[in-house]
Amino acid sequence: GRVGDPALRALYRGAELFAFPSRHEGFGIPVLEAMAQQTPVLAADIPALREIAVGAAVLRSPDDPGAWVAALDNLLHDSVERARLGATGRSRAQRYSWTRCAEETRSVYREALEA
């Protein structure tokens, strides 16, 4: 079932890393949630996640299990890289907010109405 926000944040913070092999993703909120908690991310190399992650996550093809196994093994044995990804991810996630989303959405609607 659904995990509440406080428990979800605790789960991300307590994880060694967050693996997200999604083939179809509209935006990538789970990736941002993990990065906001400074959790290193391994994600599918698909357009939506590539745009969100930009250097703040390890990306692998969702169709290459061997690459995922290797990336998981590397990350689990490389605390320095996990720390780097955690810090970079947190910084990246701070660029996103619901307030900014609402403001940019409103701006697009205004532009469309004026056209």
Side-chain angles (χ1 to χ4, degrees), residues 4-81:
D5 289 341
L8 184 59
R9 285 190 294 274
L11 288 168
Y12 282 130
R13 280 192 306 271
E16 291 290 319
L17 63 92
F18 176 66
F20 195 63
S22 177
R23 284 190 173 96
H24 309 284
E25 191 62 29
F27 183 76
I29 289 181
V31 168
L32 278 176
E33 289 174 331
M35 291 192 310
Q37 298 306 312
Q38 219 164 336
T39 303
V41 172
L42 168 60
D45 190 2
I46 60 174
L49 301 181
R50 193 178 310 127
E51 183 177 339
I52 293 297
V54 185
V58 173
L59 302 175
R60 295 293 180 265
S61 168
D63 299 313
D64 187 348
W68 278 77
V69 169
L72 285 166
D73 186 54
N74 288 339
L75 284 172
L76 289 171
H77 290 94
D78 189 346
S79 60
V80 172
E81 180 64 359

